[in-house]
Amino acid sequence: MDNKDSVEFNEKEEVRHNVAHIDDAARRAERKLRNKIDLFVVPTVTLLYLMCFIDRSNIGNARLAGFEKDLTLKGFDYNTVLSVFYVSYILFEIPATLCCKLIGPGWFLPLTTFGFGAMSVATAFVHTRAQACAVRFLLGIFEAGVMPGSAYYLSRWYRRSELTFRLGLWMTMAPLSGAFGGLMASGILKLKSFGSLHGWQMIFAIEGIITMVLSLIAFVTLTDRPETARWMSEEEKELAINRVKSERLAQPVLLDKVDAKKLKRGFSNPITLATASIFLLDNITVLGISFFLPTIIKAIYPGRTTVQQQLLTVPPYIVGAGCTVILTTLSWRLNTRQILIVLTGPLVVIGYAIFLGTMNANVRYAAVFLSASTAFSLGAMTNAQVSANANSDSARNIAIGTNAMFGYVGGLISTWTYLPGDAPRYSVGNGINLGCAAAWTAIAIGALFWMKYDNKKREEREVGAHEELAGLTRKEIQDLEWKHPGWRWKL
């Protein structure tokens, strides 16, 4: 090697070394920022969602403590009270999600949390079925935007690969709410009274007051978006915006204004609709567990005390939370969601098959763990999947809202899966849940193969992509969303 070649070689090596050094420094800066966002953003929405689920499902604990008896509910009255909540929830789901975008999550989430906390307190004072239905209807209005609003809020801060794990931490509050709810209910019921309230009334009142206090704290701690974060420097704000915006195809800004064309694309997105269908089927199971697990435990162990029955509801929820963390961690590290969604169904199928096949108390209790294991993780997985496969902020907002709306159609169905005349085997309820798990597995497999097939087709026609975009304005190109020739489905 002559001197000239030696000089060129050394210069190239120096350039490579400098580039590697810059890349390493950029990765360290982004990792530091991500950790900071984790600390300031995730805890608040996680606590709010925990109380959201507790205030929704504590009626199951109240039922064991005499709610049904004191209100003289008979036959299907309890199921009717449960159903009313989902009627308002479904009707207000998408309007609430759009409202979250319009006024900003930093204001919307604390306000709506204060509202559903107040409705929980109000439930402590109902004396008739009509009053209970009225309060549950209002509870559904206030809770409608919490789940999609929180998922949409987190999507403003994280890359696609990172979002699933953060949604997983947030969604562990669904199963943990069952655990905390059972523990809190058993603790509260040991009190003689809370003011003039007794028994099940104390459950609603105390848990509602805790919710309202947390909502007031959230007004201070919840930062609306990166630009308004007082705890970030200007350089960190720019990095927070650019790293998320870099994944948005042909979108000049991270947070756009509400756009009708993009909203339509987000709603009609085939992966949004397929994933939302999976979440609908999953929620029949998850919310069936949330509302009826105390009832199921009572049927399995009728001789136990009320407090013992409440405590037996706790371990299955902890298993569900653990499985959610494991699956979403795998999703983050492998940067995939669809395959893991496919894998959630089989354990649930086995659990409900055992329920149908035996009346042995201990075996049936073990089956509860299988049924609750992977089902809870789909809240995080499906929201992350529709978010990953929606391009602009408007499309992502409506896609997450659509997923949540479908999910709570499943919630409405779940309120009628366990009926009094079906006890103690509950063949109908367990059979419905077995079928749901099998069906969402089939849909997930079909969607996986379709995405791979469509991505391959898009690769083949990539040569003509420029011709497809020729003659379109910049705004028309931005509005293409998943119809853009450069778009690829995210598995």
Side-chain angles (χ1 to χ4, degrees):
M1 182 183 294
D2 58 26
N3 289 339
K4 182 179 178 181
D5 290 338
S6 178
V7 169
E8 288 180 354
F9 176 79
N10 290 333
E11 286 177 347
K12 289 178 181 178
E13 283 298 306
E14 185 176 353
V15 168
R16 275 196 291 268
H17 175 76
N18 289 338
V19 169
H21 181 72
I22 292 169
D23 288 345
D24 189 49
R27 282 193 293 270
R28 284 199 305 271
E30 186 172 359
R31 185 164 56 247
K32 182 180 177 182
L33 175 63
R34 186 176 61 231
N35 292 338
K36 197 173 186 180
I37 293 171
D38 287 342
L39 180 63
F40 281 90
V41 171
V42 175
T44 299
V45 292
T46 299
L47 282 175
L48 295 185
Y49 191 62
L50 170 65
M51 297 315 299
C52 174
F53 225 90
I54 284 178
D55 288 353
R56 176 190 314 170
S57 59
N58 55 13
I59 192 170
N61 301 109
R63 187 186 194 186
L64 284 185
F67 173 82
E68 201 171 16
K69 180 181 177 182
D70 289 352
L71 270 63
T72 62
L73 301 182
K74 298 177 181 178
F76 300 135
D77 286 349
Y78 178 75
N79 301 84
T80 301
V81 173
L82 294 183
S83 297
V84 166
F85 169 86
Y86 286 107
V87 172
S88 59
Y89 199 110
I90 293 164
L91 290 174
F92 287 88
E93 189 82 61
I94 289 180
T97 308
L98 291 173
C99 187
C100 181
K101 177 175 172 61
L102 288 169
I103 71 174
W107 288 97
F108 176 83
L109 291 175
L111 279 170
T112 200
T113 300
F114 187 88
F116 70 71
M119 290 305 101
S120 180
V121 174
T123 311
F125 297 94
V126 302
H127 298 287
T128 65
R129 189 189 74 163
Q131 291 173 352
C133 287
V135 173
R136 293 288 293 183
F137 186 87
L138 292 173
L139 181 70
I141 293 174
F142 284 110
E143 288 202 6
V146 177
M147 180 186 187
S150 298
Y152 164 66
Y153 174 62
L154 291 174
S155 73
R156 289 183 167 191
W157 296 88
Y158 293 103
R159 292 181 183 272
R160 293 187 183 101
S161 60
E162 303 164 351
L163 180 62
T164 312
F165 176 68
R166 276 73 192 176
L167 286 175
L169 293 177
W170 164 68
M171 281 298 298
T172 55
M173 294 303 104
L176 285 181
S177 71
F180 285 129
L183 291 172
M184 288 175 69
S186 60
I188 290 169
L189 289 174
K190 291 180 180 179
L191 301 174
K192 291 184 178 180
S193 65
F194 180 68
S196 62
L197 304 176
H198 299 82
W200 60 267
Q201 295 174 315
M202 297 189 298
I203 296 175
F204 289 114
I206 293 173
E207 292 177 357
I209 289 170
I210 293 171
T211 299
M212 294 168 74
V213 171
L214 286 174
S215 73
L216 295 176
I217 296 171
F219 275 111
V220 179
T221 61
L222 205 63
T223 303
D224 193 66
R225 59 190 184 278
E227 296 97 318
T228 61
R230 293 187 296 273
W231 40 269
M232 288 200 300
S233 66
E234 291 303 318
E235 292 78 10
E236 288 174 328
K237 290 178 183 179
E238 185 178 358
L239 176 58
I241 293 168
N242 289 337
R243 73 193 203 97
V244 177
K245 191 170 72 173
S246 66
E247 297 185 327
R248 309 299 173 195
L249 178 67
Q251 300 301 313
V253 294
L254 178 60
L255 303 179
D256 57 7
K257 294 181 180 180
V258 175
D259 185 298
K261 193 69 174 287
K262 291 177 180 177
L263 291 176
K264 182 180 177 182
R265 289 272 195 261
F267 180 81
S268 63
N269 184 317
I271 296 307
T272 294
L273 296 175
T275 306
S277 299
I278 291 169
F279 193 40
L280 185 157
L281 294 164
D282 173 63
N283 255 11
I284 294 174
T285 295
V286 166
L287 292 169
I289 292 171
S290 299
F291 286 127
F292 295 104
L293 184 56
T295 303
I296 294 168
I297 296 297
K298 185 177 181 179
I300 294 174
Y301 297 112
R304 304 289 179 92
T305 67
T306 299
V307 171
Q308 288 174 333
Q309 290 167 353
Q310 298 276 17
L311 291 175
L312 284 170
T313 66
V314 174
Y317 286 118
I318 294 175
V319 169
C323 287
T324 298
V325 172
I326 291 170
L327 283 172
T328 53
T329 301
L330 284 172
S331 174
W332 178 21
R333 297 307 181 189
L334 300 175
N335 192 18
T336 186
R337 291 155 298 277
Q338 195 66 27
I339 294 173
L340 295 174
I341 290 173
V342 170
L343 296 177
T344 58
L347 281 180
V348 182
V349 169
I350 293 170
Y352 283 107
I354 292 172
F355 260 120
L356 290 169
T358 182
M359 285 298 291
N360 180 284
N362 292 332
V363 174
R364 297 192 96 203
Y365 185 59
V368 173
F369 288 83
L370 289 173
S371 302
S373 58
T374 52
F376 281 97
S377 66
L378 279 175
M381 301 295 291
T382 57
N383 277 299
Q385 185 66 327
V386 297
S387 176
N389 285 284
N391 193 35
S392 67
D393 189 71
S394 288
R396 195 164 65 257
N397 175 269
I398 199 69
I400 292 172
T402 301
N403 187 58
M405 182 186 72
F406 273 55
Y408 287 100
V409 170
L412 177 60
I413 296 169
S414 76
T415 62
W416 294 94
T417 52
Y418 289 87
L419 301 176
D422 200 24
R425 184 179 287 273
Y426 292 110
S427 300
V428 174
N430 294 324
I432 288 172
N433 286 314
L434 188 155
C436 286
W440 88 57
T441 303
I443 293 171
I445 291 171
L448 174 64
F449 281 104
W450 182 84
M451 282 191 283
K452 288 184 175 182
Y453 169 76
D454 197 57
N455 278 348
K456 186 177 180 181
K457 281 179 60 179
R458 288 168 183 264
E459 294 285 353
E460 291 171 353
R461 72 175 215 253
E462 190 172 17
V463 178
H466 293 294
E467 287 78 2
E468 290 185 46
L469 298 176
L472 297 180
T473 66
R474 181 178 297 180
K475 176 67 168 58
E476 288 171 334
I477 292 173
Q478 292 171 15
D479 287 346
L480 285 174
E481 293 287 330
W482 55 274
K483 289 184 176 291
H484 193 291
W487 176 260
R488 298 293 182 273
W489 301 109
K490 315 303 185 294
L491 303 179

